Amino acid sequence: MNCWPLAATNGALEGLTRALALELGSSTTAKGRTIRVNCLSPGFCETERFDHMDPSKKEAMLQNTADSLPLKRVGQPGDMGEAIYYLLTAPFTTGAVLDVDGGHGIRQYANPTTDPMRNNQQTS
């Protein structure tokens, strides 16, 4: 599955977020604002990156993903925008990694027999 590049990158970003929050937390900007460092970790989000796909395959992929999530839907760009707004405006939040993933981290994985991205092949 080659998940290691994503895992390594995400781990590095989470560590960097916490380290910078510790290092810069006692600093202030020229306007006297405390420097806060946070990270948004977006989940599966329906964006134009899937517009190149066959429409029926795209819809099947989105539905299969939604069915596997506790919230039963995929993310929308507005969901990410609201989370970013929270991180920007919450004055007592720093060093946080906010997962905005519809419950992906606690979900049951997509069904390989109905997942169009797996070509309907069983996995063991």
Side-chain angles (χ1 to χ4, degrees), residues 38-62:
N38 295 297
C39 179
L40 174 73
S41 180
F44 195 94
C45 190
E46 183 181 1
T47 65
E48 66 277 356
R49 72 179 174 171
F50 302 114
D51 288 350
H52 70 281
M53 295 177 69
D54 172 83
S56 62
K57 190 170 184 177
K58 175 184 171 183
E59 182 56 37
M61 175 195 66
L62 294 171

Short mmCIF file of all heavy atoms in Angstrom, two decimals, residues 38-62:
data_model
loop_
_atom_site.label_atom_id
_atom_site.label_comp_id
_atom_site.label_asym_id
_atom_site.label_seq_id
_atom_site.Cartn_x
_atom_site.Cartn_y
_atom_site.Cartn_z
N ASN A 38 -0.42 25.63 15.28
CA ASN A 38 -1.35 24.51 15.25
C ASN A 38 -1.30 23.86 13.88
O ASN A 38 -0.75 24.42 12.93
CB ASN A 38 -2.78 24.99 15.55
CG ASN A 38 -2.90 25.52 16.95
OD1 ASN A 38 -2.72 24.80 17.92
ND2 ASN A 38 -3.19 26.81 17.08
N CYS A 39 -1.90 22.68 13.79
CA CYS A 39 -1.87 21.93 12.54
C CYS A 39 -3.25 21.36 12.25
O CYS A 39 -3.89 20.79 13.14
CB CYS A 39 -0.85 20.79 12.68
SG CYS A 39 -0.70 19.72 11.24
N LEU A 40 -3.69 21.50 11.02
CA LEU A 40 -4.93 20.87 10.57
C LEU A 40 -4.57 19.58 9.85
O LEU A 40 -3.75 19.58 8.94
CB LEU A 40 -5.69 21.79 9.62
CG LEU A 40 -6.93 21.18 8.98
CD1 LEU A 40 -8.05 21.06 10.01
CD2 LEU A 40 -7.38 22.00 7.80
N SER A 41 -5.19 18.49 10.26
CA SER A 41 -4.99 17.19 9.61
C SER A 41 -6.30 16.82 8.92
O SER A 41 -7.21 16.27 9.55
CB SER A 41 -4.58 16.14 10.64
OG SER A 41 -4.39 14.89 10.01
N PRO A 42 -6.42 17.15 7.63
CA PRO A 42 -7.69 16.92 6.95
C PRO A 42 -7.89 15.46 6.57
O PRO A 42 -6.94 14.75 6.24
CB PRO A 42 -7.58 17.79 5.69
CG PRO A 42 -6.12 17.82 5.41
CD PRO A 42 -5.43 17.77 6.76
N GLY A 43 -9.12 15.03 6.63
CA GLY A 43 -9.47 13.70 6.17
C GLY A 43 -9.86 13.75 4.70
O GLY A 43 -9.60 14.73 3.99
N PHE A 44 -10.53 12.70 4.26
CA PHE A 44 -10.98 12.61 2.87
C PHE A 44 -11.96 13.73 2.58
O PHE A 44 -12.97 13.87 3.25
CB PHE A 44 -11.63 11.24 2.64
CG PHE A 44 -11.81 10.90 1.20
CD1 PHE A 44 -10.86 10.15 0.55
CD2 PHE A 44 -12.91 11.35 0.50
CE1 PHE A 44 -11.01 9.84 -0.80
CE2 PHE A 44 -13.07 11.04 -0.83
CZ PHE A 44 -12.13 10.28 -1.49
N CYS A 45 -11.64 14.52 1.59
CA CYS A 45 -12.44 15.71 1.28
C CYS A 45 -12.75 15.72 -0.22
O CYS A 45 -11.86 15.52 -1.05
CB CYS A 45 -11.64 16.95 1.66
SG CYS A 45 -12.59 18.47 1.60
N GLU A 46 -14.01 15.93 -0.54
CA GLU A 46 -14.42 15.99 -1.95
C GLU A 46 -14.04 17.34 -2.53
O GLU A 46 -14.58 18.38 -2.16
CB GLU A 46 -15.93 15.78 -2.06
CG GLU A 46 -16.41 15.77 -3.49
CD GLU A 46 -17.90 15.59 -3.63
OE1 GLU A 46 -18.61 15.49 -2.60
OE2 GLU A 46 -18.37 15.57 -4.77
N THR A 47 -13.07 17.29 -3.43
CA THR A 47 -12.60 18.51 -4.09
C THR A 47 -12.45 18.23 -5.58
O THR A 47 -12.71 17.13 -6.05
CB THR A 47 -11.24 18.97 -3.54
OG1 THR A 47 -10.26 17.99 -3.87
CG2 THR A 47 -11.29 19.19 -2.04
N GLU A 48 -11.98 19.22 -6.30
CA GLU A 48 -11.79 19.09 -7.75
C GLU A 48 -10.70 18.07 -8.12
O GLU A 48 -10.58 17.71 -9.28
CB GLU A 48 -11.48 20.45 -8.38
CG GLU A 48 -10.16 21.06 -7.97
CD GLU A 48 -10.21 21.82 -6.64
OE1 GLU A 48 -11.27 21.95 -6.02
OE2 GLU A 48 -9.13 22.26 -6.22
N ARG A 49 -9.95 17.57 -7.15
CA ARG A 49 -8.91 16.60 -7.48
C ARG A 49 -9.49 15.31 -8.04
O ARG A 49 -8.77 14.52 -8.64
CB ARG A 49 -8.02 16.30 -6.27
CG ARG A 49 -8.70 15.49 -5.20
CD ARG A 49 -7.77 15.22 -4.06
NE ARG A 49 -8.51 14.57 -2.99
CZ ARG A 49 -7.98 14.06 -1.93
NH1 ARG A 49 -6.67 14.10 -1.78
NH2 ARG A 49 -8.71 13.49 -1.01
N PHE A 50 -10.79 15.09 -7.87
CA PHE A 50 -11.42 13.88 -8.38
C PHE A 50 -12.22 14.14 -9.67
O PHE A 50 -12.84 13.24 -10.21
CB PHE A 50 -12.35 13.27 -7.33
CG PHE A 50 -11.65 12.93 -6.06
CD1 PHE A 50 -11.94 13.61 -4.88
CD2 PHE A 50 -10.69 11.94 -6.01
CE1 PHE A 50 -11.29 13.30 -3.70
CE2 PHE A 50 -10.02 11.63 -4.84
CZ PHE A 50 -10.32 12.31 -3.68
N ASP A 51 -12.19 15.36 -10.18
CA ASP A 51 -12.98 15.72 -11.35
C ASP A 51 -12.55 14.97 -12.62
O ASP A 51 -13.33 14.86 -13.55
CB ASP A 51 -12.95 17.22 -11.60
CG ASP A 51 -13.76 18.00 -10.59
OD1 ASP A 51 -14.50 17.37 -9.79
OD2 ASP A 51 -13.64 19.24 -10.56
N HIS A 52 -11.34 14.47 -12.65
CA HIS A 52 -10.85 13.75 -13.82
C HIS A 52 -11.42 12.33 -13.92
O HIS A 52 -11.32 11.69 -14.96
CB HIS A 52 -9.32 13.66 -13.79
CG HIS A 52 -8.82 12.75 -12.72
ND1 HIS A 52 -8.75 13.14 -11.40
CD2 HIS A 52 -8.40 11.47 -12.77
CE1 HIS A 52 -8.30 12.11 -10.68
NE2 HIS A 52 -8.08 11.10 -11.48
N MET A 53 -12.03 11.86 -12.84
CA MET A 53 -12.52 10.49 -12.79
C MET A 53 -13.83 10.32 -13.57
O MET A 53 -14.59 11.27 -13.73
CB MET A 53 -12.76 10.06 -11.34
CG MET A 53 -11.53 9.98 -10.50
SD MET A 53 -11.91 9.56 -8.77
CE MET A 53 -12.44 7.86 -8.95
N ASP A 54 -14.06 9.11 -14.02
CA ASP A 54 -15.35 8.76 -14.58
C ASP A 54 -16.41 9.08 -13.52
O ASP A 54 -16.25 8.69 -12.36
CB ASP A 54 -15.37 7.27 -14.94
CG ASP A 54 -16.73 6.80 -15.36
OD1 ASP A 54 -17.06 7.00 -16.54
OD2 ASP A 54 -17.45 6.24 -14.50
N PRO A 55 -17.48 9.80 -13.88
CA PRO A 55 -18.47 10.21 -12.88
C PRO A 55 -19.06 9.07 -12.05
O PRO A 55 -19.25 9.22 -10.84
CB PRO A 55 -19.55 10.91 -13.72
CG PRO A 55 -18.82 11.40 -14.92
CD PRO A 55 -17.78 10.35 -15.21
N SER A 56 -19.35 7.93 -12.67
CA SER A 56 -19.93 6.83 -11.90
C SER A 56 -18.92 6.23 -10.93
O SER A 56 -19.27 5.86 -9.81
CB SER A 56 -20.51 5.76 -12.82
OG SER A 56 -19.50 5.19 -13.62
N LYS A 57 -17.66 6.15 -11.35
CA LYS A 57 -16.62 5.62 -10.46
C LYS A 57 -16.36 6.60 -9.32
O LYS A 57 -16.17 6.20 -8.17
CB LYS A 57 -15.34 5.34 -11.24
CG LYS A 57 -14.31 4.58 -10.44
CD LYS A 57 -13.16 4.11 -11.30
CE LYS A 57 -12.23 3.26 -10.48
NZ LYS A 57 -11.12 2.70 -11.26
N LYS A 58 -16.37 7.89 -9.63
CA LYS A 58 -16.18 8.92 -8.60
C LYS A 58 -17.28 8.83 -7.56
O LYS A 58 -17.02 8.83 -6.36
CB LYS A 58 -16.15 10.30 -9.25
CG LYS A 58 -16.07 11.44 -8.25
CD LYS A 58 -16.14 12.79 -8.96
CE LYS A 58 -16.28 13.92 -7.98
NZ LYS A 58 -16.40 15.22 -8.64
N GLU A 59 -18.54 8.76 -8.00
CA GLU A 59 -19.66 8.69 -7.08
C GLU A 59 -19.59 7.43 -6.22
O GLU A 59 -19.85 7.47 -5.01
CB GLU A 59 -20.98 8.75 -7.83
CG GLU A 59 -22.20 8.74 -6.93
CD GLU A 59 -22.19 9.85 -5.88
OE1 GLU A 59 -21.75 10.97 -6.18
OE2 GLU A 59 -22.63 9.59 -4.74
N ALA A 60 -19.21 6.30 -6.83
CA ALA A 60 -19.08 5.06 -6.07
C ALA A 60 -17.98 5.16 -5.03
O ALA A 60 -18.14 4.69 -3.89
CB ALA A 60 -18.81 3.89 -7.02
N MET A 61 -16.86 5.79 -5.39
CA MET A 61 -15.76 5.97 -4.45
C MET A 61 -16.19 6.85 -3.27
O MET A 61 -15.94 6.52 -2.11
CB MET A 61 -14.55 6.60 -5.14
CG MET A 61 -13.41 6.93 -4.21
SD MET A 61 -12.19 8.04 -4.93
CE MET A 61 -13.11 9.55 -5.13
N LEU A 62 -16.85 7.97 -3.57
CA LEU A 62 -17.30 8.87 -2.52
C LEU A 62 -18.31 8.19 -1.60
O LEU A 62 -18.25 8.34 -0.38
CB LEU A 62 -17.89 10.14 -3.12
CG LEU A 62 -16.92 11.05 -3.89
CD1 LEU A 62 -17.67 12.15 -4.61
CD2 LEU A 62 -15.86 11.62 -2.96
#
